[in-house]
């Protein structure tokens, strides 16, 4: 298909292949897209997009395909799950979404090479990831943060948690920032630090009562508990938090333990 074709002629075929791709990614029983189909969908898009007006239409359709999939499939799958099951689904859906965007960007790569630079508009990858951020992440991140903080609480009490799951969830926060740590810091880290101060302030008050009023015992208690907690929180950074969090976590502990010095 080297000649120009209209959108009405070419889009139904493109849509069929995109639907097949989504079914593949969702794990439904469907033969995978072969190289001939890939080349045909690519050349179909090229043939349509030689008209700049249709390039704009294809760019919008690319966005709409991802939005429709997200609204019809991804969000319902997340809304029906809770607690750790929801976190697992969030991680799964983010991984699938990245695969979908990567494949679709290949199909529409003509737009990436010619239309996107000319219009100085977001890349296909940026459009795809922004869809997830705006439609999924914004709705789910508050609940996800609460669940992760609850897991950290359990771990601080000595219970075993799925550390890999927590690491993977926080990776979503980091990656959704698309090159910055803004979402991780704003939507998770600041709440975790606030929670850390509250948690250890309560613990420090309890420990002071246990250590009696003896100055010697109080100093020993302070040294024992502060050192042990600092060690555990640094381990938490090694297991699933980002290294940039460590100095802030140390500062949070110092804030919590200042009661020992009053």
């Amino acid at each position: 298909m080297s000649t120009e074709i209209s959108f009405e002629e070419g889009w139904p075929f493109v849509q069929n292949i995109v639907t097949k791709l989504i079914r593949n990614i969702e794990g439904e029983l469907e033969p995978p897209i072969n190289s001939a189909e890939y080349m045909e969908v690519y050349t179909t898009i090229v043939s349509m997009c030689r008209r700049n007006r249709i390039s704009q239409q294809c760019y919008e359709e690319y966005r709409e395909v991802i939005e429709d999939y997200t609204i019809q499939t991804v969000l319902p799958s997340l809304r029906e799950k809770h607690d750790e099951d929801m976190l697992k689904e969030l991680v799964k859906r983010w991984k699938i979404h990245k695969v979908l965007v990567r494949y679709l960007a290949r199909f529409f790569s003509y737009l990436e090479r010619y239309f996107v630079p000319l219009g100085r508009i977001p890349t296909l990858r940026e459009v795809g990831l922004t869809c997830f951020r705006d439609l999924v992440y914004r709705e789910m991140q508050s609940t996800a943060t609460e669940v992760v903080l609850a897991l950290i609480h359990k771990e601080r009490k000595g219970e075993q948690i799925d550390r890999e799951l927590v690491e993977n969830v926080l990776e979503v926060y980091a990656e959704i920032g698309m090159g910055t740590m803004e979402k991780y810091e704003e939507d998770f880290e600041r709440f975790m630090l606030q929670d850390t101060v509250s948690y250890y302030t309560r613990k420090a008050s309890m420990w002071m009562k246990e250590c009696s009023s003896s100055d010697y015992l109080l100093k020993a208690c302070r040294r024992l508990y502060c050192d042990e907690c600092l060690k555990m929180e640094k381990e938490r950074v090694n297991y699933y938090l980002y290294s940039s969090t460590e100095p802030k976590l140390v500062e949070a502990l110092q804030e919590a333990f200042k009661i020992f010095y009053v």
Side-chain angles (χ1 to χ4, degrees), residues 88-101:
K88 292 174 183 177
E89 189 69 16
L90 178 63
V91 170
K92 170 188 170 183
R93 287 296 165 183
W94 175 238
K95 290 179 179 178
I96 290 175
H97 192 85
K98 289 188 291 183
V99 172
L100 175 64
V101 170

Side-chain angles (χ1 to χ4, degrees), residues 18 52 104 132 160-161 205 228 235:
V18 168
N52 193 56
L104 288 179
F132 192 94
Q160 294 291 319
I161 66 168
S205 296
E228 184 63 26
E235 286 179 356

